[in-house]
């Protein structure tokens, strides 16, 4: 099949309302795969600092697919390029933006890893445009990136931002945020999740139970994840972000959403302890062990 005709448009446009249908938001630590046919769609991510928002068009004899991901570490980038969807493609087009500010060590490491993964793919990459290490992620729409596929074999990749409510970034009303901020504490870390697969009810209950119990410093109640609801914006950034000076305006509100989700789910967690959880194999056993063990006191990755 003929590869998608892709154009790249960069600018400093003001945010737009998202399309009313066929709009998909991909949060940090997630990827989503789209089969491209005759239906238009828009896939988008934002809030990238040292992270890299990556879009890959995959062409194969069976058709064209698009994969959009928000990648936050060298290991996460490696895991993304090891996805079977990429391995099966005969031709790839890669577009990415992020890895900022340019003097940040994580941004530099992420940019180098992305380039290395593309180099390893060799001639299978027919086209790539990498907008990395450009400056302050809060300026020139450097923290936003997405794709509009027209449904006719053509697509536009751009840094057009969209005005989103918190529920549009996290349709679980906080469960995704809990997963995002805590997932990297596993050993080995949980690198990527398929955003096309919704969280199940048992998974949301389990995430809430972990969030309710977690403290960054086990002996300090003020370091509890749910105590975020009592903190001001500056305190949340200082305590829970790895790049506090560069976070998006909604960063603190999103973390408060995650903490509020856990608190609101507390009665469900209690009711489920004897019924649901006793009959459902846990999905986050390693995460629970890593976060709630007595020796766990490490810092967290920001969403």
């Amino acid at each position: 099949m003929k590869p998608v005709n892709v154009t790249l448009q960069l600018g400093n446009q003001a945010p737009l309302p998202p399309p009313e249908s066929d709009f998909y938001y991909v949060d940090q630590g997630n990827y989503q795969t789209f089969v491209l046919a005759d239906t238009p769609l828009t896939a988008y991510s934002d809030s990238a600092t040292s992270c890299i928002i990556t879009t890959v068009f995959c062409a194969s004899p069976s058709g064209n697919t698009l994969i959009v991901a928000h990648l936050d570490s060298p290991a996460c980038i490696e895991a993304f390029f090891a996805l079977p969807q990429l391995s099966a493609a005969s031709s790839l087009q890669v577009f990415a933006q992020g890895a900022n500010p340019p003097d940040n060590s994580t941004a530099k490491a992420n940019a180098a890893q992305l380039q290395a993964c593309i180099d390893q793919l060799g001639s299978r990459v027919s086209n790539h445009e990498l907008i990395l290490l450009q400056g302050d992620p809060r300026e020139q729409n450097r923290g936003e990136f997405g794709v509009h596929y027209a449904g006719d074999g053509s697509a536009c990749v751009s840094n057009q931002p969209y005005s989103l409510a918190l529920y549009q970034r996290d349709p679980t009303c906080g469960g995704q945020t809990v997963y995002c901020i805590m997932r990297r504490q596993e050993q080995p870390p949980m690198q990527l999740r398929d955003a096309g697969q919704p969280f199940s009810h048992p998974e949301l209950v389990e995430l809430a139970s972990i969030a309710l119990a977690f403290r960054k410093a086990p002996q300090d109640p003020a370091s509890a994840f749910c105590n975020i609801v009592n903190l001001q914006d500056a305190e949340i950034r200082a305590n829970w972000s790895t790049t506090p000076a560069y976070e998006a305006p909604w960063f603190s509100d999103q973390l408060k959403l995650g903490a509020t989700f856990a608190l609101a789910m507390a009665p469900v967690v209690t009711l489920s302890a004897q019924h649901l959880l006793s009959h459902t194999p846990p999905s986050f056993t390693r995460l629970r062990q890593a976060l709630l063990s007595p020796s766990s006191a490490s810092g967290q990755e920001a969403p």
Side-chain angles (χ1 to χ4, degrees):
M1 178 170 284
K2 184 179 179 181
V4 176
N5 180 25
V6 186
T7 58
L8 174 66
Q9 293 183 1
L10 299 178
N12 194 28
Q13 309 95 324
L16 294 174
E20 294 184 0
S21 62
D22 297 306
F23 177 83
Y24 303 89
Y25 180 80
V26 182
D27 205 352
Q28 181 175 335
N30 287 265
Y31 74 94
Q32 190 160 352
T33 303
F34 306 92
V35 177
L36 301 180
D38 56 0
T39 303
L41 65 86
T42 301
Y44 171 73
S45 190
D46 59 14
S47 306
T49 53
S50 59
C51 302
I52 302 176
I53 300 168
T54 305
T55 67
V56 181
F57 292 87
C58 306
S60 67
S62 60
N64 291 315
T65 57
L66 164 68
I67 310 176
V68 177
H70 190 133
L71 309 174
D72 59 10
S73 72
C76 183
I77 293 168
E78 283 191 287
F80 174 71
F81 280 92
L83 290 175
Q85 299 95 309
L86 273 72
S87 301
S90 56
S91 176
L92 303 167
Q93 300 183 72
V94 184
F95 300 83
Q97 175 165 270
N100 291 302
D103 59 353
N104 179 274
S105 60
T106 303
K108 293 178 182 178
N110 287 344
Q113 185 62 63
L114 184 67
Q115 185 64 65
C117 287
I118 291 173
D119 292 343
Q120 290 174 2
L121 292 169
S123 60
R124 291 176 58 212
V125 179
S126 61
N127 185 21
H128 71 281
E129 299 270 359
L130 308 181
I131 308 96
L132 309 176
L133 304 170
Q134 297 292 304
D136 190 325
R138 299 166 300 179
E139 298 176 353
Q140 303 296 318
N141 294 341
R142 294 189 183 104
E144 294 81 30
F145 207 54
V147 178
H148 175 69
Y149 174 69
D152 59 359
S154 66
C156 178
V157 179
S158 78
N159 62 349
Q160 171 65 57
Y162 292 95
S163 299
L164 303 178
L166 288 179
Y167 75 89
Q168 292 171 300
R169 289 191 168 85
D170 184 352
T172 65
C173 294
Q176 162 63 35
T177 300
V178 171
Y179 156 77
C180 186
I181 198 170
M182 294 187 178
R183 77 184 215 281
R184 298 188 56 75
Q185 303 311 307
E186 287 192 342
Q187 294 300 323
M190 185 183 296
Q191 298 296 351
L192 278 172
R193 184 179 184 277
D194 183 354
Q197 301 297 317
F199 287 102
S200 67
H201 176 69
E203 286 177 331
L204 290 174
V205 170
E206 193 174 354
L207 284 169
S209 69
I210 293 171
L212 286 164
F214 178 66
R215 297 178 180 181
K216 291 179 73 175
Q219 305 306 317
D220 181 9
S223 72
F225 177 76
C226 290
N227 191 50
I228 286 175
V229 298
N230 299 314
L231 302 180
Q232 298 299 313
D233 178 73
E235 295 175 300
I236 297 173
R237 289 169 181 265
N239 293 333
W240 292 90
S241 172
T242 55
T243 53
Y246 297 102
E247 293 296 349
W250 51 84
F251 170 82
S252 297
D253 288 340
Q254 186 166 353
L255 264 66
K256 281 192 175 184
L257 180 68
T260 303
F261 158 82
L263 292 169
M265 284 284 286
V268 180
V269 170
T270 300
L271 289 171
S272 298
Q274 294 181 332
H275 304 286
L276 177 65
L277 297 182
S278 63
H279 299 289
T280 304
S283 299
F284 302 103
T285 301
R286 291 192 300 121
L287 184 61
R288 181 184 296 276
Q289 292 172 344
L291 290 176
L292 304 184
S293 64
S295 60
S296 176
S298 58
Q300 307 306 306
E301 292 287 331

